[in-house]
Amino acid sequence: MELKIFLTADVHLGMKFAQYPEVQKELSEARFETLKGLVERANAEGCGLFLVAGDLFDRVSVPKETIVRAAAILGEFQGELTAVLPGNHDFHATGSDSLWAEFGSRSGDRTLVLAEKRPYPLRPLQPRRRPLPRALRGKALGAKRSGMGSGAPGGAFHVGVAHGSLMGSPPTSTSAITP
Ligand SMILES: [Mn+2]
């Protein structure tokens, strides 16, 4: 049984780089190219889950075009599921005009925004193109298996995902507070 996960974080799409006006556009564009390259690598590696562990976006007020482009790039992932955790820069807020509502509306049904602190079962996310691998059936992102109604035989994968510093493990520099 195997679950191959591609993990990234802090892509910070939409970063303005205002302090570098002469290369501002190139630096901003490079973030999109990087994400594209990551998705291509994940596809080449045959990953089943593409996981973004926070700060896919640089801030909650990124332009709509940035959100559309991000959703399109992630939509090229050929695995079973893309899961995106909001971070401290692109935190989750309710409201139909919020970043994540817009992102959700631009993403397919195999993209999951981990907006709440709870386990997310993978079962409802049935693949469109091919059967869910045995490794992913009845599995969940998050903590305990109980309450998920999994019923899957054998062991289960539990994938914890977080963004930020660990409690009780103080950062050694300010960059560790807002990486
Ligand atoms: Mn961050």
Side-chain angles (χ1 to χ4, degrees):
M1 194 181 291
E2 180 181 284
L3 172 61
K4 209 166 183 180
I5 303 171
F6 193 99
L7 173 67
T8 186
D10 291 293
V11 189
H12 284 272
L13 298 175
M15 190 177 271
K16 291 177 177 173
F17 294 102
Q19 67 274 41
Y20 306 109
E22 67 283 359
V23 286
Q24 191 173 4
K25 184 145 177 90
E26 288 94 322
L27 290 175
S28 186
E29 201 60 29
R31 302 255 156 182
F32 290 99
E33 289 302 314
T34 297
L35 181 63
K36 201 174 164 203
L38 297 177
V39 169
E40 286 168 2
R41 180 64 184 268
N43 287 339
E45 298 281 346
C47 294
L49 173 63
F50 192 93
L51 186 55
V52 184
D55 290 346
L56 173 63
F57 299 102
D58 188 53
R59 59 195 182 282
V60 291
S61 60
V62 292
K64 186 177 280 190
E65 187 207 356
T66 299
I67 303 171
V68 172
R69 289 182 72 185
I73 292 169
L74 291 175
E76 294 298 313
F77 179 54
Q78 295 164 2
E80 307 306 330
L81 178 70
T82 298
V84 185
L85 178 75
N88 59 315
H89 287 85
D90 60 359
F91 55 88
H92 178 260
T94 52
S96 59
D97 60 344
S98 74
L99 163 66
W100 293 110
E102 183 69 33
F103 178 78
S105 76
R106 302 281 175 173
S107 302
D109 57 2
R110 292 186 306 148
T111 297
L112 187 61
V113 176
L114 306 173
E116 298 167 32
K117 196 187 291 183
R118 64 170 173 85
Y120 282 84
L122 304 184
R123 181 185 285 277
L125 299 161
Q126 295 302 323
R128 290 183 302 239
R129 293 192 289 259
R130 53 197 164 98
L132 202 62
R134 183 180 303 239
L136 287 176
R137 282 180 205 151
K139 306 306 181 289
L141 291 171
K144 301 290 185 185
R145 181 174 171 176
S146 58
M148 290 175 197
S150 152
F157 293 107
H158 303 286
V159 182
V161 57
H163 181 88
S165 305
L166 290 172
M167 285 180 73
S169 176
T172 53
S173 71
T174 51
S175 67
I177 297 172
T178 54

